[in-house]
Amino acid sequence: MIIQLQPDISENQKEKLIAKVNEIGYKTTEVQTQLGDYIVGIGKKEFDIRKIGQMDGIRDIHIVSDEYKLVSKKWKAKPTSVDLGDNIFIKDGEMAIITGPCSIETEDQIRKVVAHCVENDIKMMRGGVFKPRSSPYAFRGLGIDGLKLWHELASAAGIKIVTEVMQTSQIEEMYPYVDVYQVGARNSQNFNLLDELGKVDKAVMIKRGISGTIEELLQSAEYVFSGGNEKLILCERGIRTYERASRNTLDLNAIPILKAKSHLPVIVDPSHGIGIRAYVPQMALAGVMSGADGIIYESHEVPEKAYSDGQQTLDFAQSARLAAWIRESFAMRKGFDLL
Ligand code: PEP
Ligand code: MN
């Protein structure tokens, strides 16, 4: 169960409420986020909801029997809107476009991608400064100095930064320079990292684990929310299956299912999803039609020269075309009123 508390609930009222919920046979956890205070009750006993609903200091009470609760749509029918400031949102009813290289490489490269974003009215740029690589000998990123430089150039152009945080010790040093902390597929169930991101007042985008289920992705998001951070975005980036003809299998089924189960915005990463440049646009547009609230894809001035993931990276002309197609497809989807 989720109990939403009144902002002015007294300590005494809260104690009485917790005692009552415990008496029914539910364990309680207090959750305080940027947007509200909650008591989450975990248990299975049947009870008369009015016994609690009538108590002082309560805004609302909801029965949510899923393993994940705070990210469930069962208590919050209104979709979550993640506000990045300067009128830039990732939310239901809009189509976020996020592009940029796999890795942040050089000042020149940053300048060129920022200019590409500005030219195409793309407000969010992706890129890794701490790169999780399968081989320890591959390029591992420019680190915090790269992020500082990127922030200087991107913020001057009004562009928001989406970048991966790999470990808890990086959260604080990254904080002034990042708009969305990305949790990578390999860290999707790094619960220490998720716990710590719960304490931060900045958006967090969680990628689905390489072999993670939809439910596991939602439970990862539950970690961050229950830690105190409601500014969450879910990302489908393909899962590992027996299929070897593509890098991963982009699970577009996940989009309508996640949207039905959760109030959080859902975005699609077709670049890592299929891993083949020529097919990234198709999968991006399929993601739009599946009901996604945004698309994140890799782009670079000369993909063949990219330090990482060049094989799935679009050049600027392809990216400009794709951004326009994403917008057209989204307008068409809204016309269908499918979702
Ligand atoms: C990335 O976005 O470049 C990345 C490493 O993604 P993932 O964690 O999905 O593999
Ligand atoms: Mn990549």
Side-chain angles (χ1 to χ4, degrees), residues 101-103 126 131 207 247 269 271-272 298 308-309 312:
C102 180
S103 303
R126 60 144 291 141
K131 292 306 299 178
K207 286 193 153 192
R247 181 175 180 181
D269 175 348
S271 307
H272 295 85
E298 290 178 334
S308 55
D309 284 353
Q312 64 191 31

Side-chain angles (χ1 to χ4, degrees), residues 232-302:
L232 279 164
I233 302 139
L234 305 172
C235 179
E236 165 59 43
R237 51 77 73 197
I239 47 174
R240 178 164 293 176
T241 65
Y242 51 78
E243 184 52 68
R244 307 267 36 100
S246 51
R247 181 175 180 181
N248 289 297
T249 297
L250 185 63
D251 179 15
L252 292 175
N253 295 347
I255 312 309
I257 294 175
L258 284 168
K259 294 285 296 174
K261 286 184 181 294
S262 176
H263 52 79
L264 298 176
V266 179
I267 69 172
V268 170
D269 175 348
S271 307
H272 295 85
I274 191 159
I276 303 166
R277 183 186 309 137
Y279 310 138
V280 165
Q282 286 92 321
M283 301 320 291
L285 300 183
V288 174
M289 287 309 180
S290 306
D293 304 309
I295 303 292
I296 180 167
Y297 64 91
E298 290 178 334
S299 60
H300 190 284
E301 189 195 19
V302 189

Side-chain angles (χ1 to χ4, degrees), residues 105 109 112-113 277 299-308 310 313-316:
E105 301 168 354
Q109 178 225 30
K112 285 180 169 146
V113 181
R277 183 186 309 137
S299 60
H300 190 284
E301 189 195 19
V302 189
E304 294 75 14
K305 292 200 176 150
Y307 290 7
S308 55
T313 299
L314 304 187
D315 68 24
F316 291 160

